[in-house]
Amino acid sequence: MKTAITAQYQRTRMLTLIGTIITQFALGSVYTWSLFNGQLAHKLDAPISQVAFSFGLLSLGLAIASSLAGKLQERFGVRNVTIGAGVLMAVGFWLTAHADNLMMLYLSAGILVGLADGAGYLMTLSNCVKWFPERKGLISACSIGAYGLGSLGFKFICGALLTNYGLENTFMIWGVLAMTMIIVGALMMRDAPVQQASGNMQTQAKDYTLAQSVRLPQYWMLALMFLTACMSGLYVIGVAKDIGEGMVHLSTQTAANAVTIIAIANLSGRLILGVLSDKIARIRVISLAQIVSLVGMSILLFTRMNETSFFLSLACVAFSFGGTITVFPSLVSDFFGLNNLTKNYGLIYLGFGIGSVMGSLVASVFGGFTVTFSLIMTLLVISLVLSLSIRLPNRQNVSEPLLHN
């Protein structure tokens, strides 16, 4: 990257950053979903567990769409795909407002909203990171931090809407509001320029296509680390209140404070580890996050918890999870280059969808928390060994020319 950045280039990338933050804030609103489970269960006369399954589908749809967004961006550009994501999200919420059975809820709130969220999330994040190759960690922290703040901000917005306008109207207003923010953000974005390889052989060797990346062992080592982080974070966060009541014997009200602890720790992990990743090697930041998560899982698995140690364990896991998903886009670009980041990270990001259901699936098959915690602990140890031993790939690892596509 040239030392002297033109005023126009600087203005364009700053507008893209602002637009990305606005869009990510709106996309993050889907994580307020638990607010609606009770009223939807009453409306559809269905168990809450079946209603809540729609969010599992949403997470899976998000991961799948994220893995495909790179192809869409190549064909239509970041602005058009983001606008399309905003419109699809509004349609999904409108259909959710009119859903009168579980299958329609799964289709609208699960699949359509999930696909819309995923189409916008990873693509806009990756595009923004490409604009700031010298500050990748900080930009990831800003973008993913906005996504996390969106869930917090819309918790109050949707709560107020539910109180004043009812369930159906809330979904429709939410859809219009999110769509408007996403479109406004999209209109501020531009596709990042292709990063030109310098004469430095090391820089040139870092640009891998997806086809080349998947033939490297480093790709699957990173994929396992990411899957493990998502499985541990999403499972523990999802059942935190149940752990507090079942294992620590806290009151329902006290256990519910876990939501606040998790939100603070998650956001702290995104900001602290994201900024730190611009100061030291990013793979070392991932190792640090894994050690913090291991501390949290060890408390859950090996100690007789009280209220303080329970909240500490949640904070460790949430901090690690938030930091990992913030650092990983930049980490993938360190290994495989910036130009194909959306596609290279998109496939790895499927681990988010798999991780979102894997923990719950293991728990339901084997029963209880202990087996699931033990599996997560084992995977974390393996991941830590991998993060301490992995090395950047070199050009000789691939058999075809390194192309930008």
Side-chain angles (χ1 to χ4, degrees), residues 2 59 95-96 103 106 128 131 162 220 232 241 259 267 312 323 342 344 353 394:
K2 295 180 180 178
S59 299
L95 291 173
T96 301
M103 287 309 298
Y106 293 159
C128 195
W131 274 108
L162 274 173
W220 300 107
S232 60
K241 181 170 172 288
V259 175
L267 182 59
L312 176 61
T342 306
N344 284 332
N394 56 65

Side-chain angles (χ1 to χ4, degrees), residues 115-154:
L115 290 175
D117 209 74
Y121 167 72
L122 181 57
M123 178 192 63
T124 57
L125 165 65
S126 301
N127 183 68
C128 195
V129 168
K130 291 177 192 176
W131 274 108
F132 295 85
E134 79 284 7
R135 288 288 183 271
K136 293 186 288 187
L138 176 62
I139 297 305
S140 292
C142 290
S143 180
I144 298 177
Y147 191 82
L149 282 174
S151 65
L152 187 61
F154 269 87

Side-chain angles (χ1 to χ4, degrees), residues 97-119:
H98 296 86
D100 57 6
N101 59 71
L102 281 172
M103 287 309 298
M104 188 171 178
L105 180 70
Y106 293 159
L107 173 64
S108 57
I111 296 173
L112 291 184
V113 174
L115 290 175
D117 209 74

Side-chain angles (χ1 to χ4, degrees), residues 310-325:
F310 167 62
F311 286 137
L312 176 61
S313 69
L314 294 184
C316 288
V317 174
F319 180 91
S320 173
F321 172 64
T324 299
I325 64 174

Side-chain angles (χ1 to χ4, degrees), residues 300-354:
L300 288 170
L301 193 56
F302 300 123
T303 69
R304 295 176 62 86
M305 287 182 289
N306 55 32
E307 182 178 337
T308 302
S309 60
F310 167 62
F311 286 137
L312 176 61
S313 69
L314 294 184
C316 288
V317 174
F319 180 91
S320 173
F321 172 64
T324 299
I325 64 174
T326 299
V327 174
F328 239 81
S330 302
L331 180 67
V332 172
S333 75
D334 289 344
F335 274 77
F336 308 111
L338 271 172
N339 288 319
N340 301 306
L341 175 59
T342 306
K343 288 182 285 185
N344 284 332
Y345 182 45
L347 182 59
I348 288 176
Y349 197 77
L350 283 173
F352 185 94
I354 297 169

Side-chain angles (χ1 to χ4, degrees), residues 216-239:
L216 299 172
Q218 289 94 332
Y219 191 85
W220 300 107
M221 292 165 76
L222 291 177
L224 179 59
M225 292 180 218
F226 187 75
L227 170 64
T228 300
C230 290
M231 179 182 174
S232 60
L234 292 169
Y235 176 70
V236 172
I237 289 170
V239 298

